[in-house]
Amino acid sequence: MRKPADTQANQGLFQLDATFGDMAVNMGSVVWNIETLSQRIKSLLCLTADVCDRNTGVAFEMHIEMALANELSLREIREAIFHAAPESGYSNALQALIRLKQIANEKHADDLNWQQNNESGAGSAISEAALAQRLDGLAPGFGQVWSVAVGQQWERSILGKAERALLSIGASVINQTLGDSFAYYI
């Protein structure tokens, strides 16, 4: 298990600026010491926030390294990016995926089999018909587009349903989309 205070977790910050490194490590330590969430979920939420915020810089790299140190695989990190795509925008997810691949090529070349499997589950247990109908009220056809995106997002089996729910709730909070979709994820 790795936390922000661990030297390996924050080298990039301290190379940039030691004072800012201290500030970031202090804040990160508060977040990473929350006991009600696992280190795995915290790692996934940090990565989701990065994708939503279009952050593919030093913090994104640090969050990838934290996720790997907290026993997530490159494949699971990739899956978190895929899951964030509908909430963050596919162009944001694309930039995160490009950066993940660069980091993987630079630092984790032995683990690059993460791209081999295009896994999806047998189907979603989540009923989205009522929300899709409400979204069609906003613009004809919007509910159908949303249903396709949600199907792609939730039917994959690499991350669990509870993890996906927390990531979607987190993305809704980050993006301040706290209406019908947020209620749906809750």
Side-chain angles (χ1 to χ4, degrees), residues 41-136:
I41 291 294
K42 290 174 205 168
S43 296
L44 290 167
L45 285 168
C46 285
L47 292 165
T48 299
D50 289 337
V51 175
C52 289
D53 289 340
R54 300 179 186 166
N55 170 27
T56 58
V58 173
F60 183 61
E61 184 174 341
M62 289 174 54
H63 292 151
I64 288 170
E65 295 301 325
M66 289 284 284
L68 292 169
N70 286 305
E71 300 182 6
L72 272 86
S73 67
L74 285 170
R75 195 166 152 232
E76 290 168 317
I77 294 168
R78 176 177 159 246
E79 191 64 28
I81 294 170
F82 289 173
H83 187 82
E87 278 93 355
S88 69
Y90 284 84
S91 60
N92 291 352
L94 175 62
Q95 294 306 309
L97 189 59
I98 290 168
R99 184 65 183 125
L100 172 62
K101 188 172 183 177
Q102 290 170 342
I103 293 166
N105 284 330
E106 292 167 8
K107 298 183 176 189
H108 305 282
D110 294 341
D111 298 331
L112 285 180
N113 65 352
W114 59 286
Q115 292 193 85
Q116 304 279 324
N117 192 330
N118 199 10
E119 184 173 344
S120 65
S124 177
I126 297 170
S127 170
E128 69 251 6
L131 183 54
Q133 189 174 27
R134 286 185 72 175
L135 292 173
D136 272 337

Side-chain angles (χ1 to χ4, degrees), residues 24-35:
V25 166
N26 287 336
M27 187 64 219
S29 293
V30 170
V31 172
W32 283 81
N33 284 325
I34 296 171
E35 294 181 12

